[in-house]
Amino acid sequence: MKKLFTVILLAVLAAPFVKAQADYVPTQENLKQREIFEDNRFGVFLHWGIYSMFAQGEWYLAKGYLNAQEYAKAAGGFYPASFDARQWVKAIKASGAKYICFTSRHHDGFSMFDTQYSDYDIMDATPFKRDIVAELAQACKEEGIAFHIYYSLIDWTRGDYPAGRTGLKCGKNPADADYEAYRAFMKNQLTEILTKYEGVNAIWFDGWWDHDSDPQPFEWKFDDLYSHIHAIKPACLIGNNHHLTPIKGEDFQMFERDLPGENTSGYHDQQTIGALPLEMCQTMNGMWGYKVADQEYKSVKQLVQLIVKAAAKGSNLLLNIGPQPDGCLPATSLDRLAGIGEWLAKYGESVYGTNATNIPAQSWGVTTRNDNTIYMHLIEPLEGCPVVEMPIEGKVKSVVALSDGASLKYKVKNGKISVTLPQTPTEMDYVIAVTLAK
């Protein structure tokens, strides 16, 4: 009964904006941008704001039950003297990541860019007085890496945002809520982002779920927000972290902390995978924003295999880093980026530009495909000098180990290919390229 209620509730909540976006037709520029986005396969998420000063993660204002006005005073001491956008972007590019998504404004309402619609921003409220978004946008342009913007639909500090189920103890007066005024504020800021900063290829919305338990469906009016963005920049991709099946007006579908089709996070129980490009986001350690106690970083092996598993699902991986309050990327995250970059420099062809295959996951791992080449990713433990097999359709032209290009022995029989390995793989991902005759 509970599950049925959830299905009905999600359908009801989604209905107002599904109908409103029924006439959305993406432009050719937008469709091209989707193709580029899909080919990228790996990006880096950056959660950074004044919350990093508390070193307790990006939700500290709400989870610490702090008064928003007192919390805001931290901006007066925010001076990340070591911040160097070019160093960040160079390290991220060297990891093999093809794009960066940066938090321009998180749920605490602080804008990391120069906005004329609020004084609660990096230029007016801090002694730093440098436009973080502008510097990152310029660095991305110089390095030839795509730039995406995260933008929160929630604001725990502005009185006109109608509070949902989070940030209820931050000191706001519910009587001040005025969504029309707040929506106008968001549109003004989005206009600034899309017109002031060159190269913004996507807007990453977050926060729909703040009103997922309202007695009546909350009218976000996404049709207005989405059409506003596409009118300014038709090629700009729009994604929304609402944990629902994609709605009209969106250009890619995202999955928080889960591979498409999985639900270990509990967010995606009723989410259907649509036909849009896919993106999974995951943290490098445990938190999104910087938390001093969180040193449980995933290994290079785990992260490489996550990139591969995402690609095998036809999805990008957006891997998060929480920069420190001094403006440095944590040393451990830089180590992980370097390790990923070393692997992708050697095996990137088995990830970039690939698609999912119709071959289910095997005991040895997963597969990706680019044109007439199927890549077998051997990521599960194997013993001895094993033979690995998988279903195959078509005539096999060659089978080689991607590490050194050496030909491998194989047999094709009854719709399956069996490949004999020369030795037990020791790599984090032993990749075999099976090329079919065209």
Side-chain angles (χ1 to χ4, degrees), residues 60-322:
Y60 186 55
L61 171 57
K63 290 189 174 181
Y65 303 118
L66 307 179
N67 179 279
Q69 299 304 314
E70 291 299 313
Y71 172 91
K73 294 176 182 178
F78 188 54
Y79 195 91
S82 297
F83 171 67
D84 186 325
R86 289 178 176 82
Q87 286 186 358
W88 280 22
V89 175
K90 285 180 181 295
I92 291 169
K93 182 180 180 180
S95 76
K98 300 298 185 182
Y99 63 101
I100 288 171
C101 184
F102 181 72
T103 49
S104 66
R105 188 179 72 102
H106 207 266
H107 311 326
D108 66 351
F110 184 80
S111 297
M112 294 289 280
F113 61 100
D114 185 15
T115 175
Q116 65 175 307
Y117 298 101
S118 173
D119 291 332
Y120 192 41
D121 71 330
I122 192 72
M123 296 295 286
D124 297 303
T126 81
F128 194 56
K129 299 193 182 304
R130 284 166 52 188
D131 189 328
I132 301 294
V133 169
E135 293 186 26
L136 283 171
Q138 180 61 31
C140 285
K141 178 183 177 182
E142 293 173 0
E143 292 297 325
I145 188 169
F147 190 45
H148 298 182
I149 287 292
Y150 167 109
Y151 189 87
S152 175
L153 297 163
I154 298 173
D155 196 311
W156 294 325
T157 61
R158 287 183 63 94
D160 54 3
Y161 170 70
R165 59 176 170 84
T166 67
L168 298 178
K169 297 184 179 181
C170 296
K172 294 203 305 181
N173 183 355
D176 295 334
D178 182 351
Y179 184 60
E180 290 306 306
Y182 180 70
R183 185 162 55 88
F185 161 74
M186 288 197 295
K187 289 172 67 175
N188 284 331
Q189 283 207 319
L190 289 166
T191 299
E192 288 180 317
I193 289 169
L194 293 169
T195 56
K196 287 173 58 175
Y197 308 112
E198 186 177 354
V200 176
N201 291 335
I203 299 294
W204 207 102
F205 283 118
D206 191 21
W208 173 92
W209 34 262
D210 193 40
H211 286 276
D212 61 7
S213 58
D214 285 10
Q216 298 294 325
F218 185 76
E219 293 281 359
W220 284 104
K221 299 187 178 180
F222 286 128
D223 56 328
D224 181 55
L225 283 177
Y226 292 178
S227 60
H228 179 73
I229 292 168
H230 285 140
I232 296 172
K233 191 171 184 179
C236 183
L237 305 182
I238 296 174
N240 195 328
N241 191 34
H242 46 50
H243 308 145
L244 298 169
T245 300
I247 63 174
K248 293 291 184 179
E250 295 172 3
D251 303 298
F252 66 99
Q253 182 179 6
M254 58 185 71
F255 300 81
E256 183 177 356
R257 293 189 184 274
D258 266 307
L259 292 165
E262 299 183 8
N263 188 35
T264 62
S265 65
Y267 299 145
H268 309 289
D269 187 39
Q270 304 301 328
Q271 187 172 16
T272 301
I273 300 175
L276 298 177
L278 310 177
E279 179 188 75
M280 172 199 182
C281 62
Q282 180 59 284
T283 53
M284 189 177 282
N285 47 0
M287 296 293 293
W288 300 100
Y290 179 69
K291 184 176 182 180
V292 68
D294 182 12
Q295 298 300 313
E296 297 297 320
Y297 281 82
K298 299 169 184 65
S299 67
V300 171
K301 178 179 179 179
Q302 288 174 310
L303 296 172
V304 164
Q305 291 185 352
L306 188 56
I307 292 171
V308 169
K309 288 178 181 179
K313 294 274 192 176
S315 173
N316 293 3
L317 174 67
L318 182 62
L319 182 62
N320 182 75
I321 298 171

